DNA sequence: TAGATTGTTAATCGATTAACAATC
DNA sequence: TAGATTGTTAATCGATTAACAATC
């Protein structure tokens, strides 16, 4: 049968990159096939969950055999949209913005920077790697000439909402939010937001340290 | 009644920093009291969930009145363990390590750096802010003299597991993992791990961009 | 063919939401 | 007192796990 019309939950989506990572490892180790059972042991989740998760998207396995590693890897790559490339801009070139700019891992997966912005006149015009920091006011005209797919928001908390609104008005369709402010309110059918709340994450860790 | 012996789920723990954030905002705006209903509207969750979440830890509200903002803020601060301060070290002083080092927000909440480490001889000995990058081999002796509570792991993926094991052997009790490698296997009763998988997060975002 | 392992349905578990008595 | 709102139990919803027939 293998219908693919199920509603896909956030929980499943968040596991996809993890599957992709493990399958990538298997590919690079030249492992040809893997069963849900064996993968479940490596990933420390249940085989049942793996089969359920994958089945939402299609029938990628074969009874009695398991999954072909390369083709499953390619399927998940496709599902995640990683057969395309994505153009990134950074808005807010503080320490975090600089670090993300120089982080090589993103380009390995097809995410490439096309511009960096800030509003601080002291750093606008300065060179970082191959880019010159542009004034944020030039963003709308920049976007007309250069399609950007994802904007990394790395401004200070107090400016987060205003800048995010400005990005959306300027036509940005996806914001990767590194500010410690929730931007869910700005999400819509066409605008996607993914939060990285570093401070929240750190607090979760110190909570665990205090559990008895 | 108000017993506090319920098992606390990860879902609840992950919401605590968010409550803390919103309550902090209310405190700084001098708002005295808030009902679960009003907070639910601001946070875009249900009032029922707020009451359930808070009740796990105690009876902080008052019928007919709601919650006192300041005392609820203080309670959550206490629950999260933020009445103490935490000593941080960074292991791996690449771009990300540098950025985290210079990120001011952590110290606002009582997280202070006490040392930074790397194994690359080209950068060991160099100064970053008030610290000199130390060789990672000197970590065990460092830890004997300077208690560190949390180690930020920001080395490359391929070294992640070995370095994490080394940290644990050296006595580190909490690892904030920025590598794109799962370290759950290393978790135990006494060793806590919190992952920040940036690439996974970015992939989730590009997945959303491709949903029809 | 026999063994292995999937795809998929059914059962279980846990988390969220609704409801309302208790009470400020 | 009457109104508001909590604390808490019960109902619902969704996600995970178990089970097994289908099939390679």
């Amino acid at each position: 049968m293998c219908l693919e019309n199920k509603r896909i939950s956030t929980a499943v989506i968040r596991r996809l990159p993890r599957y992709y990572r493990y399958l990538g490892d298997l590919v690079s180790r030249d492992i040809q096939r893997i069963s849900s059972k064996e993968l479940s042991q490596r990933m420390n989740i249940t085989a049942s969950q793996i089969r359920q998760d994958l089945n939402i998207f299609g029938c990628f396995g074969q009874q009695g055999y398991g999954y072909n590693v390369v083709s499953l890897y390619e399927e998940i790559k496709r599902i995640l949209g990683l057969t395309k490339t994505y153009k990134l801009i950074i808005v807010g070139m503080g320490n975090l913005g600089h670090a993300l700019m120089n982080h090589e891992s993103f380009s390995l997966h097809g995410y490439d920077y096309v511009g960096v912005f800030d509003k601080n006149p002291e750093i606008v015009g300065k060179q970082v790697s191959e880019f010159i920091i542009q004034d944020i006011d030039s963003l709308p005209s920049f976007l007309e000439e250069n399609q950007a797919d994802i904007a990394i928001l790395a401004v200070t908390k107090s400016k987060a909402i205003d800048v995010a609104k400005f990005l959306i008005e300027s036509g940005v369709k996806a914001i990767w939010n590194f500010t410690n402010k929730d931007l869910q309110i700005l999400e819509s059918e066409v605008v996607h937001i993914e939060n990285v709340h570093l401070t929240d994450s750190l607090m979760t860790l110190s909570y665990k340290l205090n559990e008895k």
Side-chain angles (χ1 to χ4, degrees), chain A residues 9 11 15 46 48-49 51-52 62-64:
Chain A
S9 72
R15 280 193 292 268
T46 65
S48 207
Q49 181 162 70
R51 294 204 299 280
Q52 286 275 24
Q62 197 173 59
Q63 280 99 329

Coordinates of all heavy atoms in Angstrom, one line a residue, chain A residues 9 11 15 46 48-49 51-52 62-64, chain D residues 14-24:
Chain A
S9 N 4.2 15.2 12.2 CA 4.4 16.0 13.5 C 5.7 16.6 13.6 O 6.7 16.1 13.0 CB 4.1 15.1 14.7 OG 5.2 14.2 14.8
A11 N 7.7 16.4 16.1 CA 8.6 15.5 16.7 C 9.3 14.7 15.6 O 10.5 14.4 15.7 CB 7.8 14.5 17.6
R15 N 13.4 14.7 14.2 CA 14.3 13.5 14.2 C 15.0 13.3 12.8 O 16.0 12.6 12.7 CB 13.5 12.3 14.6 CG 13.3 12.1 16.1 CD 12.8 10.7 16.4 NE 11.5 10.5 16.0 CZ 10.4 10.7 16.7 NH1 10.4 11.2 17.9 NH2 9.2 10.4 16.2
T46 N 13.7 3.3 19.5 CA 13.2 2.0 19.2 C 13.1 1.7 17.7 O 12.9 2.7 16.9 CB 11.8 1.8 19.8 OG1 10.9 2.7 19.1 CG2 11.8 2.0 21.3
S48 N 10.8 0.3 16.2 CA 9.4 0.6 15.9 C 9.2 2.1 15.5 O 8.6 2.4 14.5 CB 8.5 0.3 17.1 OG 7.2 0.0 16.7
Q49 N 9.9 2.9 16.2 CA 9.8 4.4 15.9 C 10.5 4.7 14.6 O 9.9 5.5 13.8 CB 10.5 5.2 17.0 CG 10.4 6.7 16.8 CD 10.7 7.5 18.0 OE1 11.8 7.5 18.6 NE2 9.7 8.1 18.6
R51 N 10.7 2.7 12.0 CA 9.8 2.3 10.9 C 8.6 3.2 10.8 O 8.2 3.5 9.7 CB 9.4 0.8 11.2 CG 10.6 -0.1 11.1 CD 10.2 -1.6 10.7 NE 9.3 -2.2 11.7 CZ 9.7 -2.7 12.9 NH1 11.0 -2.8 13.2 NH2 8.8 -3.2 13.7
Q52 N 8.1 3.6 11.9 CA 6.9 4.5 11.9 C 7.3 5.8 11.2 O 6.6 6.4 10.4 CB 6.4 4.8 13.3 CG 5.6 3.7 13.9 CD 4.2 3.7 13.5 OE1 3.8 4.3 12.5 NE2 3.3 3.2 14.4
Q62 N 12.7 -2.9 2.7 CA 12.3 -4.2 2.0 C 12.3 -5.3 3.0 O 13.2 -5.5 3.8 CB 13.4 -4.5 0.9 CG 13.0 -5.5 -0.1 CD 14.0 -5.6 -1.2 OE1 15.1 -6.0 -0.9 NE2 13.6 -5.4 -2.4
Q63 N 11.1 -6.0 3.0 CA 11.0 -7.0 4.1 C 12.1 -8.1 3.9 O 12.5 -8.4 2.8 CB 9.7 -7.8 3.9 CG 8.5 -7.0 4.5 CD 7.7 -6.3 3.5 OE1 8.3 -5.8 2.5 NE2 6.4 -6.1 3.7
G64 N 12.6 -8.5 5.0 CA 13.7 -9.5 5.1 C 15.1 -9.0 4.8 O 16.1 -9.7 5.0
Chain D
dG14 P -4.7 15.7 18.3 OP1 -4.4 17.0 17.7 OP2 -5.4 14.7 17.6 O5' -3.2 15.1 18.7 C5' -2.4 15.7 19.6 C4' -1.2 14.8 19.9 O4' -1.7 13.8 20.8 C3' -0.6 14.1 18.7 O3' 0.8 14.1 18.9 C2' -1.2 12.8 18.7 C1' -1.2 12.5 20.2 N9 -2.0 11.5 20.8 C8 -3.3 11.1 20.4 N7 -3.7 10.0 21.1 C5 -2.6 9.8 22.0 C6 -2.5 8.8 23.0 O6 -3.3 7.9 23.3 N1 -1.3 8.8 23.6 C2 -0.3 9.7 23.3 N2 0.9 9.7 24.0 N3 -0.4 10.7 22.4 C4 -1.6 10.6 21.8
dA15 P 1.8 13.9 17.8 OP1 2.0 15.2 17.1 OP2 1.5 12.7 17.0 O5' 3.2 13.6 18.6 C5' 3.2 13.6 20.0 C4' 3.8 12.3 20.5 O4' 2.7 11.4 20.7 C3' 4.7 11.6 19.5 O3' 5.8 11.1 20.3 C2' 3.8 10.4 19.0 C1' 3.0 10.1 20.2 N9 1.8 9.4 20.0 C8 0.8 9.6 19.1 N7 -0.2 8.8 19.2 C5 0.1 7.9 20.2 C6 -0.5 6.8 20.8 N6 -1.7 6.4 20.4 N1 0.1 6.3 21.9 C2 1.3 6.7 22.3 N3 2.0 7.7 21.8 C4 1.4 8.3 20.8
dT16 P 7.1 10.5 19.6 OP1 8.2 11.4 20.1 OP2 6.9 10.2 18.2 O5' 7.3 9.1 20.4 C5' 7.1 9.1 21.8 C4' 6.7 7.6 22.1 O4' 5.4 7.3 21.6 C3' 7.7 6.6 21.5 O3' 8.3 5.9 22.6 C2' 6.9 5.7 20.6 C1' 5.5 5.9 21.2 N1 4.3 5.7 20.3 C2 3.3 4.8 20.7 O2 3.4 4.1 21.7 N3 2.3 4.7 19.8 C4 2.1 5.4 18.6 O4 1.1 5.3 17.9 C5 3.1 6.4 18.3 C7 3.0 7.3 17.1 C6 4.2 6.5 19.2
dT17 P 9.3 4.7 22.5 OP1 10.2 4.7 23.7 OP2 10.0 4.8 21.1 O5' 8.4 3.4 22.5 C5' 7.6 3.2 23.6 C4' 6.8 1.9 23.4 O4' 5.8 2.2 22.4 C3' 7.7 0.7 22.9 O3' 7.4 -0.3 23.8 C2' 7.2 0.5 21.5 C1' 5.8 1.0 21.5 N1 5.2 1.5 20.2 C2 3.9 1.1 19.9 O2 3.2 0.4 20.5 N3 3.4 1.7 18.7 C4 4.1 2.6 17.9 O4 3.6 3.0 16.9 C5 5.4 2.9 18.3 C7 6.2 3.9 17.5 C6 5.9 2.4 19.5
dA18 P 8.0 -1.8 23.6 OP1 8.3 -2.3 25.0 OP2 9.1 -1.7 22.6 O5' 6.8 -2.6 23.0 C5' 5.5 -2.4 23.6 C4' 4.5 -3.4 23.0 O4' 4.0 -2.8 21.8 C3' 5.1 -4.7 22.6 O3' 4.1 -5.7 22.9 C2' 5.4 -4.6 21.1 C1' 4.2 -3.7 20.7 N9 4.5 -2.8 19.5 C8 5.6 -2.0 19.3 N7 5.5 -1.3 18.2 C5 4.3 -1.6 17.7 C6 3.6 -1.2 16.5 N6 4.0 -0.3 15.7 N1 2.3 -1.7 16.3 C2 1.8 -2.6 17.2 N3 2.4 -3.1 18.3 C4 3.6 -2.5 18.5
dA19 P 4.3 -7.3 22.6 OP1 3.6 -8.0 23.7 OP2 5.7 -7.5 22.4 O5' 3.5 -7.4 21.3 C5' 2.1 -7.0 21.2 C4' 1.6 -7.4 19.9 O4' 2.0 -6.4 18.9 C3' 2.1 -8.7 19.4 O3' 0.9 -9.4 18.8 C2' 3.1 -8.4 18.4 C1' 2.6 -7.1 17.8 N9 3.6 -6.2 17.2 C8 4.9 -6.0 17.7 N7 5.6 -5.1 16.9 C5 4.7 -4.7 16.0 C6 4.8 -3.8 14.9 N6 5.9 -3.1 14.7 N1 3.7 -3.6 14.2 C2 2.6 -4.3 14.4 N3 2.4 -5.2 15.4 C4 3.5 -5.4 16.1
dC20 P 0.9 -10.9 18.5 OP1 -0.3 -11.5 19.2 OP2 2.3 -11.5 18.8 O5' 0.7 -11.0 16.9 C5' -0.2 -10.2 16.3 C4' 0.2 -10.1 14.8 O4' 1.2 -9.0 14.6 C3' 0.8 -11.4 14.2 O3' 0.3 -11.6 12.9 C2' 2.3 -11.0 14.2 C1' 2.1 -9.5 13.7 N1 3.4 -8.7 13.8 C2 3.5 -7.6 13.0 O2 2.6 -7.3 12.2 N3 4.6 -6.9 13.0 C4 5.6 -7.2 13.9 N4 6.7 -6.4 13.9 C5 5.5 -8.3 14.8 C6 4.4 -9.0 14.7
dA21 P -0.3 -13.0 12.5 OP1 -1.2 -13.4 13.6 OP2 0.8 -13.9 12.2 O5' -1.2 -12.6 11.2 C5' -1.9 -11.4 11.2 C4' -1.5 -10.7 9.9 O4' -0.2 -10.0 10.0 C3' -1.4 -11.6 8.7 O3' -1.9 -10.9 7.5 C2' 0.1 -11.9 8.6 C1' 0.6 -10.5 9.0 N9 2.0 -10.6 9.6 C8 2.5 -11.5 10.5 N7 3.7 -11.3 10.9 C5 4.0 -10.1 10.2 C6 5.2 -9.3 10.2 N6 6.3 -9.6 10.9 N1 5.2 -8.2 9.4 C2 4.1 -7.9 8.7 N3 3.0 -8.6 8.6 C4 3.0 -9.7 9.4
dA22 P -1.7 -11.4 6.0 OP1 -2.9 -10.9 5.3 OP2 -1.4 -12.8 6.1 O5' -0.5 -10.6 5.5 C5' -0.6 -9.2 5.2 C4' 0.6 -8.7 4.5 O4' 1.8 -8.9 5.3 C3' 0.9 -9.5 3.2 O3' 1.3 -8.5 2.2 C2' 2.0 -10.4 3.5 C1' 2.8 -9.6 4.6 N9 3.5 -10.4 5.6 C8 3.0 -11.5 6.3 N7 3.9 -12.1 7.1 C5 5.0 -11.2 7.0 C6 6.2 -11.2 7.7 N6 6.6 -12.1 8.6 N1 7.1 -10.2 7.3 C2 6.7 -9.3 6.4 N3 5.6 -9.2 5.7 C4 4.7 -10.2 6.1
dT23 P 1.7 -8.9 0.7 OP1 1.5 -7.7 -0.1 OP2 1.1 -10.2 0.4 O5' 3.3 -9.1 0.9 C5' 4.2 -8.0 0.9 C4' 5.6 -8.6 1.0 O4' 5.8 -9.4 2.2 C3' 5.9 -9.6 -0.2 O3' 7.2 -9.3 -0.7 C2' 5.9 -10.9 0.5 C1' 6.6 -10.4 1.9 N1 6.6 -11.4 2.9 C2 7.7 -11.5 3.7 O2 8.7 -10.8 3.6 N3 7.7 -12.4 4.7 C4 6.6 -13.3 5.0 O4 6.7 -14.1 5.9 C5 5.5 -13.2 4.1 C7 4.3 -14.1 4.3 C6 5.5 -12.3 3.1
dC24 P 7.3 -8.4 -2.0 OP1 6.7 -7.1 -1.8 OP2 6.8 -9.3 -3.1 O5' 8.9 -8.3 -2.2 C5' 9.6 -7.5 -1.2 C4' 10.8 -8.3 -0.7 O4' 10.3 -9.2 0.3 C3' 11.5 -9.0 -1.8 O3' 12.7 -8.3 -2.1 C2' 11.8 -10.4 -1.1 C1' 11.3 -10.3 0.3 N1 10.6 -11.5 0.8 C2 11.1 -12.1 2.0 O2 12.1 -11.7 2.5 N3 10.4 -13.2 2.5 C4 9.3 -13.7 1.8 N4 8.7 -14.7 2.4 C5 8.8 -13.0 0.7 C6 9.4 -12.0 0.2

